[in-house]
Amino acid sequence: MTGRRAAARSARRRPLLVVLLATVGSLTAVATVLAVVASVFIGGLAERYDAGRTVLDDPFPSGGRPHDDGNALDVLLIGSDARERLDPQHDGVGGGRSDTLMLAHVSADRRHVSLMSILRDSWVEVPGHGRAKINAAYSWGGVPLTVQTVEQLLGVRIDHVAEIDFAGFVGMTDALGGVTVQSPATFDARGHHFVRGPNELDGAAALTFVRERYAFPDADHTRVRNQQAFMRALLERVLSADTLTDPGAVQQFVSSTSAYLSVDPGLTFPTLVDLGWSLRRIRPYDLETFTLPTAGGGTSPDGQSYVEVDRAELTSLTIALRSDDVEGWLAGHAAGRTAATG
């Protein structure tokens, strides 16, 4: 009798065991399929990135460089302009200069990103050439001299460098289906009308938005604020659910960006993946944008109008960059920052 009851209990338990095993097996199969799909997708992104980007030859200067102060990252972003192709109206600046310089400081805990614009007319010491506008460094010595000039100016080591042609702004924007940019002012430029506040921009409008400076009384000052607003809008769009849940959009964005991108040899796809994972908690409101402090303008002996860097503020900023306390520095310089939104 006891044996029959045990057999009956075993028979009753067996269906539960079968269901459990079937469920676990199904979940394992699903997880395996998802892992394969994810690996194929990421592999495809890697191929697109590697096929599209250009690796810069010797982008860093030789000789003495600032000491690496820790786990924070400083990435120099250079915006260059194929002016003959993109600007039939020409805005008066010779080709082969860096129209946009931004330093992205990623905190060591990967919780904050600060994006600092450096006005292209900033009057600085260019190694081997004396005092000049900072964008002349690119004309005289390309990326290595630009990196050296920025490192000497800020007193910090540049960990990575990425150069993007302005045409990339068009491709990136269109690949995302447009972006919503918060314009600090109402203005018209090259057939486009922008209002103060939110603006839905396609690629062509975005290119005009980030390049225009003659529409503003303070010229480059508003121009860099517009560029900062575009970068924030781009981040918001990339991190949106619509983008992250659309593999095709992600692939198109990577392809469109890398086609106009040149990076240092160390900025590989695995490096970007590792950095992206470490920044997975970042949200658009964690990005703070500001401009290197200035102290008015002047005119050089040969008649160039330039912007003077505020040397006192530069000293405290250098200390903040080296000690990874840009967030604290910004807290005491609210007037010069762009308020975060989100």
Side-chain angles (χ1 to χ4, degrees):
M1 182 68 70
T2 302
R4 284 199 296 270
R5 282 200 298 268
R9 285 197 299 269
S10 178
R12 286 196 299 271
R13 286 198 301 266
R14 202 169 288 123
L16 296 176
L17 181 60
V18 171
V19 171
L20 180 60
L21 290 175
T23 302
V24 172
S26 296
L27 291 175
T28 302
V30 170
T32 301
V33 170
L34 289 177
V36 171
V37 171
S39 65
V40 170
F41 176 64
I42 293 174
L45 290 182
E47 290 180 2
R48 288 169 182 259
Y49 176 75
D50 290 335
R53 69 178 176 135
T54 298
V55 178
L56 296 165
D57 293 328
D58 300 321
F60 298 108
S62 57
R65 299 180 62 198
H67 178 68
D68 188 351
D69 289 312
N71 293 324
L73 282 178
D74 289 299
V75 183
L76 184 63
L77 308 177
I78 303 173
S80 59
D81 200 347
R83 197 168 299 279
E84 314 79 32
R85 176 164 51 83
L86 292 176
D87 188 9
Q89 298 178 5
H90 202 292
D91 70 2
V93 178
R97 293 200 175 199
S98 55
D99 277 358
T100 299
L101 280 178
M102 289 182 170
L103 181 77
H105 178 84
V106 183
S107 64
D109 62 8
R110 301 301 189 258
R111 293 300 185 94
H112 302 280
V113 178
S114 304
L115 191 63
M116 182 182 72
S117 297
I118 303 174
L119 294 179
R120 67 182 190 175
D121 290 341
S122 299
W123 196 246
V124 302
E125 188 72 24
V126 179
H129 297 272
R131 292 178 66 78
K133 294 180 181 181
I134 196 167
N135 69 335
Y138 186 89
S139 178
W140 289 329
V143 173
L145 185 57
T146 301
V147 171
Q148 186 178 13
T149 301
V150 173
E151 286 187 338
Q152 179 174 286
L153 174 68
L154 300 178
V156 296
R157 188 183 185 91
I158 301 300
D159 299 293
H160 292 293
V161 59
E163 178 185 5
I164 187 166
D165 191 301
F166 267 114
F169 286 80
V170 178
M172 286 189 294
T173 303
D174 287 339
L176 294 171
V179 296
T180 302
V181 172
Q182 296 287 336
S183 175
T186 296
F187 67 99
D188 294 289
R190 309 182 193 197
H192 297 279
H193 177 68
F194 305 95
V195 299
R196 182 177 181 179
N199 293 259
E200 297 288 337
L201 306 184
D202 62 8
L207 178 61
T208 296
F209 185 77
V210 300
R211 293 183 60 220
E212 181 59 32
R213 66 171 181 159
Y214 289 111
F216 316 118
D218 59 359
D220 255 8
H221 291 271
T222 296
R223 183 186 193 216
V224 298
R225 286 195 291 271
N226 285 349
Q227 292 171 351
Q228 294 164 5
F230 173 79
M231 295 297 288
R232 183 180 301 282
L234 193 69
L235 179 63
E236 289 175 347
R237 186 62 177 163
V238 168
L239 294 181
S240 70
D242 289 345
T243 300
L244 295 179
T245 57
D246 184 349
V250 175
Q251 289 180 338
Q252 185 60 40
F253 177 74
V254 172
S255 296
S256 299
T257 304
S258 58
Y260 298 96
L261 190 66
S262 300
V263 298
D264 68 84
L267 207 53
T268 62
F269 188 80
T271 299
L272 287 178
V273 170
D274 289 344
L275 179 59
W277 177 251
S278 71
L279 293 171
R280 62 191 179 278
R281 297 184 181 88
I282 287 287
R283 296 296 178 264
Y285 50 78
D286 294 314
L287 171 68
E288 296 195 271
T289 57
F290 67 106
T291 302
L292 180 70
T294 59
T299 304
S300 67
D302 60 355
Q304 298 182 68
S305 296
Y306 62 78
V307 176
E308 193 68 65
V309 175
D310 189 323
R311 295 290 161 176
E313 296 283 24
L314 177 61
T315 298
S316 63
L317 175 59
T318 293
I319 294 172
L321 286 166
R322 286 177 171 174
S323 60
D324 192 23
D325 189 28
V326 177
E327 189 181 15
W329 186 88
L330 284 171
H333 296 76
R337 71 203 288 192
T338 301
T341 60

